[in-house]
Amino acid sequence: MHRRILTALLTLSVAGCATTKPAETPPTETPPTAQQSQTPAPDAEAFRDQQPKPGKPPELVLPTFEQAKLDNGLTVIVSTRKELPLVFVGIAFAAGGSQEPAAKLGIADLSYRMLLEGAGKRDTVALDNAFADLGVSPAMSVDPDGAFVGARVLTTNVDAAMSLLSDVVLRPTFDAKAFERRKKQQLGELVRRMGDPNFLAQQAYYQAVFGADHPYGHTSGGTPKTVESLTLADAKSFYTKNTGPRAAALIMTGDVTLPQAVEWGKKYFGGWKGGAVAPKPPPAPPAPPRQLVRVVPKPGLEQTVVLVGRPGLATGHPDEFPLELATTVFGGFFGSRLNMNIREDKGYSYGANAHLGTRLGVGPLTAYAAVRKDVTGPALNEFIKELAGIKSNPITEKELAAAREGLIRAFPGAFETVEGLGVSAANLYFHRRPMDEFKRTVEGLEKASAAEVQRVAESYLDPANMQVVLVGDPLVIQEQVTPLNLGKLTLEETPASK
């Protein structure tokens, strides 16, 4: 019954729909107003026309470095950071590769690295295991102006780490077998480097800029010939002659205070004796006009390594900050003149850069690129044109602002870790700088005027005084570089042949 009633209702509903036709309503159109007809639809991509504005940069917070001196002359440098229970402990030595005798190049590396080949009553393996028991692996670096050995440890392990470090520095064994093994390793590394065009370029470049007999006129590690002649007695003699409490600094950074560091220094290094003192800065080299284009031959090389540069200045020089800014505009970041020309415009290289290498003495001012060998001449010509363009096309306020911002904002990266703080403290010691050096640097970069930057740029970046070193196929270089008339092409010996 219910089904019949439902069926009947559905039938009536369908019949009604079929027989009843609703009245048609004509469509209506609203005429557009004058404003609607003249205003185009908004462009969904319009936001791309304006570069997003950066947010407010975080406040620059620089670390604080403190200094004290023990009765025996040992310097203690501390930077306290309490966020984590970590401390970096190390010893910075004031003598580096620049103190090597000309006939014994490589002795600084070999001598300092022997410190981790046995100390106190421990041989190489036992010493390494003792550091490993503290969860660390000690690091060693040797630079032209000094050397540095140290490790990061938990705060609870500082005393044990200081005990090991004092053995390393005060009681190295200089074992004969360990020396021969380390010497072979250094020779093997030099053989490997002989095949690296960048190393060959660097070695020839330092000689061109400083002179072969200058303390900065060579790379670290020596040459196969000089290292082969080194003896265990040479290593001991270099270490004894160049180290002592008046030529070293205890570096502690992280979860430590200056009073604590001084107490540890007295406990473990208070009895250190030795007559060595920090060496004087190397003499300033001359910066004569370029007369030669030095070529290190590498037949068949698909790229040509280009190094262009001259002596710059020593750290602390009044021109340091303006020249740092000028060098950055020229080639110190991706948007620099040199890189935008060589890479972005011409496509000659993956990248070109320039760097002001300040040291205790006068350091190098260098521009660099590895370019396709078929554009060796044109690329070198662009280097010279960009250098000359500093005078004919002065640095703009926009370029200067970008360089200033980039240099200052890069500072925090050096202080991210306690190791970074340690390296920064060691550099303060190597370069004999005051403890507020980083604050002074930021202020110097901020205050350097456009006129100062332009003055030093024209003085130091004059292409006539820039030495040129090329590593690559000598026939290609001769064919493409000779027409540039930059100087007489001269073949350079490689370190392996000396």
Side-chain angles (χ1 to χ4, degrees):
M1 177 63 71
H2 291 295
R3 181 178 296 176
R4 290 179 184 176
I5 294 173
L6 181 58
T7 301
L9 291 172
L10 288 173
T11 302
L12 290 173
S13 176
V14 172
C17 290
T19 58
T20 304
K21 183 177 182 180
E24 294 185 0
T25 303
T28 59
E29 295 184 2
T30 303
T33 64
Q35 183 178 3
Q36 288 175 330
S37 62
Q38 294 177 3
T39 303
D43 183 2
E45 299 294 313
F47 73 94
R48 301 184 188 279
D49 295 336
Q50 186 172 0
Q51 184 176 352
K53 295 181 180 180
K56 184 179 180 180
E59 181 182 357
L60 178 62
V61 179
L62 297 174
T64 299
F65 292 90
E66 301 175 279
Q67 180 177 252
K69 189 160 288 192
L70 303 187
D71 292 340
N72 63 351
L74 180 67
T75 299
V76 179
I77 301 178
V78 168
S79 182
T80 302
R81 177 179 290 175
K82 292 286 190 176
E83 293 93 335
L84 295 172
L86 296 172
V87 179
F88 183 86
V89 298
I91 291 289
F93 301 97
S98 64
Q99 301 304 307
E100 296 174 332
K104 299 184 184 298
L105 297 183
I107 190 60
D109 268 71
L110 190 52
S111 181
Y112 282 125
R113 295 187 190 282
M114 281 299 297
L115 301 185
L116 297 177
E117 295 291 344
K121 298 180 180 180
R122 300 179 178 89
D123 61 11
T124 304
V125 175
L127 181 62
D128 190 62
N129 286 339
F131 277 109
D133 288 342
L134 301 180
V136 302
S137 179
M140 166 69 73
S141 64
V142 182
D143 299 312
D145 292 327
F148 192 31
V149 60
R152 179 190 67 182
V153 297
L154 291 170
T155 304
T156 53
N157 291 334
V158 170
D159 201 71
M162 289 289 290
S163 177
L164 287 175
L165 188 64
S166 66
D167 272 349
V168 165
V169 173
L170 305 182
R171 292 172 286 277
T173 58
F174 281 96
D175 178 73
K177 289 184 179 180
F179 173 81
E180 290 302 324
R181 182 179 67 254
R182 171 56 65 179
K183 178 178 172 179
K184 288 180 180 179
Q185 290 175 344
Q186 189 158 325
L187 284 169
E189 175 62 16
L190 285 171
V191 170
R192 184 194 67 78
R193 293 168 76 183
M194 290 304 110
D196 182 355
N198 293 298
F199 169 74
L200 298 177
Q202 190 179 53
Q203 179 66 47
Y205 174 71
Y206 285 148
Q207 291 188 15
V209 169
F210 296 106
D213 296 328
H214 191 275
Y216 289 158
H218 58 86
T219 55
S220 65
T223 70
K225 182 178 179 180
T226 60
V227 173
E228 185 64 51
S229 68
L230 297 178
T231 66
L232 178 61
D234 293 328
K236 289 181 178 179
S237 175
F238 180 89
Y239 187 72
T240 301
K241 178 183 177 181
N242 290 286
T243 65
R246 292 185 294 164
L250 169 63
I251 306 294
M252 301 190 75
T253 58
D255 186 17
V256 62
T257 65
L258 182 60
Q260 288 175 322
V262 168
E263 287 304 311
W264 269 310
K266 291 177 179 178
K267 178 179 179 181
Y268 290 104
F269 293 96
W272 190 8
K273 295 179 174 57
V277 295
K280 296 180 180 180
R290 180 185 60 257
Q291 295 180 330
L292 306 175
V293 173
R294 294 169 172 82
V295 179
V296 180
K298 287 285 287 184
L301 195 66
E302 289 302 316
Q303 288 184 316
T304 300
V305 178
V306 180
L307 276 173
V308 177
R310 54 159 290 167
L313 42 74
T315 184
H317 191 283
D319 288 341
E320 180 179 358
F321 306 130
L323 186 55
E324 186 73 62
L325 289 163
T327 305
T328 302
V329 170
F330 171 69
F333 68 115
F334 186 87
S336 65
R337 292 185 178 189
L338 185 64
N339 190 63
M340 295 304 286
N341 182 340
I342 298 294
R343 174 192 160 109
E344 294 299 289
D345 183 38
K346 303 296 189 307
Y348 291 162
S349 171
Y350 285 117
N353 60 72
H355 174 65
L356 176 62
T358 52
R359 298 180 178 181
L360 176 63
V362 172
L365 173 58
T366 311
Y368 163 87
V371 304
R372 302 195 324 264
K373 72 175 183 179
D374 62 304
V375 295
T376 298
L380 180 56
N381 192 49
E382 293 304 319
F383 268 74
I384 302 302
K385 285 173 61 178
E386 288 296 345
L387 287 166
I390 289 289
K391 186 172 183 178
S392 60
N393 181 23
I395 294 172
T396 67
E397 288 289 349
K398 183 178 180 180
E399 289 177 314
L400 183 54
R404 200 189 316 268
E405 181 183 36
L407 288 171
I408 292 175
R409 290 197 181 185
F411 263 87
F415 312 127
E416 288 180 334
T417 63
V418 292
E419 297 98 310
L421 283 172
V423 171
S424 298
N427 283 325
L428 292 178
Y429 179 71
F430 294 154
H431 299 155
R432 325 282 166 81
R433 304 311 300 154
M435 294 297 101
D436 64 347
E437 173 71 357
F438 297 108
K439 178 183 178 182
R440 191 184 71 88
T441 300
V442 170
E443 291 175 349
L445 293 172
E446 290 176 336
K447 294 178 180 179
S449 68
E452 288 179 299
V453 173
Q454 185 62 33
R455 173 184 61 80
V456 299
E458 293 182 15
S459 176
Y460 289 89
L461 298 178
D462 183 351
N465 292 332
M466 290 286 189
Q467 305 304 316
V468 176
V469 171
L470 304 172
V471 179
D473 192 306
L475 296 179
V476 172
I477 293 173
Q478 182 179 23
E479 178 184 357
Q480 296 189 26
V481 176
T482 301
L484 300 180
N485 295 316
L486 297 177
K488 180 182 178 181
L489 267 65
T490 305
L491 292 181
E492 293 286 297
E493 292 183 281
T494 62
S497 63
K498 297 182 180 180

